[in-house]
Amino acid sequence: MRIGVAGLNASGKTEVVRFLEARGLYPVSLSDVIRDDLARDGLEPTREQMIARGRSLRERLGAGILAERVLATLPADRNHVIDSIRHPAEVETLRRSGDFVLVWIETSAEIRYRRLRCRGRVGEEISFERFEELQEQELRNDDSGGQQLLAVREMADEVVENNGELGELHAQLQRILERHLFFRQRPSWDTYFMNIARVVATRSNCIKRKVGTVLVVDRRLISTGYNGTPRGVRNCNEGGCPRCASAAESGTRLDECLCSHAEENAITQAAYHGVSVAGASLYTTLSPCLICTKMIINAGIREIVFDASFPLGERSLALLSEAGVKVRQLQDEADSIG
């Protein structure tokens, strides 16, 4: 889960981040990308320098570049709070990454100016008139690379009023957590195991197609397999398979292929370690070929869940049906709890 925090200067974003961090969310800031860029040029991160450099980065590398760089560093197993969001393209980039909620902090100009003077940061010793000028630049900007906080505010999922006591702010944030974080749903078991199969596929050494398979009994993973040359044989991506090495046309010269398929490897790995696969469910990123289908039936596997269809798989599916093996293709889901 990622909660984005946006608002005008001195609206209270730091306090919001502090509150969420204390509840297990890891803090990151899009502004750190700009600070790092300025530091490489030996420049101080004054407010005006930050605004100018942010505009420059968006113009040169795309309006969502700050969010893209931050997302590239975030581990998938943590919840994060992300602040300093100042452009609608950054919101769109963060939303595409998965579960994301944008919180806008609404605070009056007078209160924000008083806070600004109290914190005494470098470059913030400005008059109220200059403060309002900078605010206008943040809110509306015809320059595609400039800050466009008015558009960001319109995209907010939640608006928090921060003109009162700290306790009032915290109470609003607690309600937001309860709506969006505490009752989040998990992926279904099908999606869970298929995602594992997709990761398994990345270990494949086949240069034509990477396939991954997992075998599951009672929602317990018992074996994995990916396609590639047999144990002790030169890898496919090192020239071990003559069919793949010669870039043979799809569906041709299959008698020259030395690679074992992912389903075959998952079954034989279980046998190698003395693990029964009878009654198992098989999750595979590609529906099985005819040879793997016969092995699946004789191994006693009761169900196959596949992602993509094998181009020559019609006969396999018919045989599985005749043998009473349940076959399902994974469908898009609403992330129901399994």
Side-chain angles (χ1 to χ4, degrees):
M1 181 66 185
R2 286 150 187 174
I3 297 181
V5 178
L8 291 169
N9 191 24
S11 59
K13 298 186 294 295
T14 300
E15 179 57 34
V16 172
V17 171
R18 186 182 297 117
F19 178 90
L20 296 174
E21 182 182 8
R23 282 147 185 82
L25 282 78
Y26 288 78
V28 290
S29 175
L30 301 193
S31 289
D32 288 341
V33 176
I34 305 174
R35 291 189 183 94
D36 291 345
D37 205 69
L38 288 170
R40 281 192 288 270
D41 293 338
L43 299 174
E44 289 292 325
T46 65
R47 181 169 174 72
E48 294 190 358
Q49 288 272 32
M50 293 282 289
I51 292 173
R53 182 56 59 94
R55 180 189 303 113
S56 173
L57 287 170
R58 295 186 191 99
E59 288 174 345
R60 290 186 292 111
L61 302 174
I65 185 59
L66 304 184
E68 291 168 11
R69 288 188 175 179
V70 163
L71 284 173
T73 69
L74 300 186
D77 59 344
R78 298 177 181 178
N79 296 322
H80 291 90
V81 52
I82 305 171
D83 75 343
S84 301
I85 299 168
R86 296 187 173 93
H87 195 284
E90 294 164 356
V91 180
E92 293 166 358
T93 299
L94 292 167
R95 283 206 170 123
R96 286 195 299 269
S97 71
D99 289 340
F100 178 75
V101 175
L102 178 62
V103 177
W104 177 267
I105 315 302
E106 188 71 39
T107 312
S108 71
E110 291 76 16
I111 291 176
R112 290 188 294 106
Y113 182 67
R114 287 202 302 270
R115 292 175 181 166
L116 185 78
R117 297 300 300 271
C118 289
R119 67 192 189 188
R121 291 181 184 173
V122 175
E124 292 185 339
E125 307 87 349
I126 56 177
S127 66
F128 184 71
E129 291 73 20
R130 179 56 179 158
F131 175 77
E132 289 188 311
E133 289 175 10
L134 290 172
Q135 172 181 289
E136 188 63 26
Q137 291 178 22
E138 291 180 330
L139 281 172
R140 301 175 181 84
N141 203 311
D142 295 332
D143 186 348
S144 61
Q147 297 186 20
Q148 298 178 20
L149 280 172
L150 186 61
V152 171
R153 182 168 60 185
E154 292 171 353
M155 300 172 76
D157 302 294
E158 301 279 357
V159 176
V160 171
E161 297 287 342
N162 189 24
N163 293 310
E165 299 295 327
L166 198 58
E168 297 173 14
L169 173 64
H170 290 175
Q172 294 178 74
L173 295 173
Q174 183 68 22
R175 289 193 290 271
I176 289 172
L177 282 176
E178 292 171 0
R179 283 195 294 271
H180 295 284
L181 184 62
F182 294 158
F183 301 104
R184 287 174 58 223
Q185 294 180 328
R186 301 177 295 170
S188 70
W189 286 108
D190 279 351
T191 298
Y192 173 71
F193 287 120
M194 189 62 75
N195 283 341
I196 296 174
R198 293 183 181 119
V199 173
V200 170
T202 64
R203 280 286 300 167
S204 170
N205 62 64
C206 181
I207 62 176
K208 290 184 73 68
R209 179 189 285 122
K210 296 182 182 296
V211 182
T213 294
V214 300
L215 286 168
V216 176
V217 174
D218 295 329
R219 296 178 177 174
R220 177 173 56 88
L221 189 65
I222 63 169
S223 183
T224 67
Y226 51 84
N227 58 322
T229 48
R231 187 193 306 269
V233 176
R234 189 160 46 127
N235 287 334
C236 179
N237 58 4
E238 297 169 338
C241 177
R243 177 176 181 267
C244 291
S246 61
E249 184 178 348
S250 295
T252 66
R253 299 169 57 183
L254 297 177
D255 58 324
E256 298 179 12
C257 182
L258 300 185
C259 289
S260 297
H261 287 187
E263 303 94 324
E264 177 184 0
N265 277 331
I267 294 170
T268 56
Q269 281 297 308
Y272 184 84
H273 294 285
V275 178
S276 172
V277 300
S281 295
L282 183 148
Y283 289 81
T284 181
T285 58
L286 190 70
S287 62
C289 71
L290 188 57
I291 293 175
C292 288
T293 293
K294 291 183 285 186
M295 186 178 294
I296 288 167
I297 293 170
N298 285 339
I301 292 169
R302 65 175 176 79
E303 178 186 38
I304 296 173
V305 183
F306 68 93
D307 193 0
S309 296
F310 182 61
L312 305 175
E314 294 83 1
R315 186 69 186 95
S316 298
L317 296 177
L319 190 62
L320 289 164
S321 177
E322 182 181 347
V325 178
K326 183 179 179 181
V327 179
R328 296 184 289 116
Q329 185 169 16
L330 186 68
Q331 303 294 325
D332 292 336
E333 61 170 23
D335 285 338
S336 59
I337 294 179

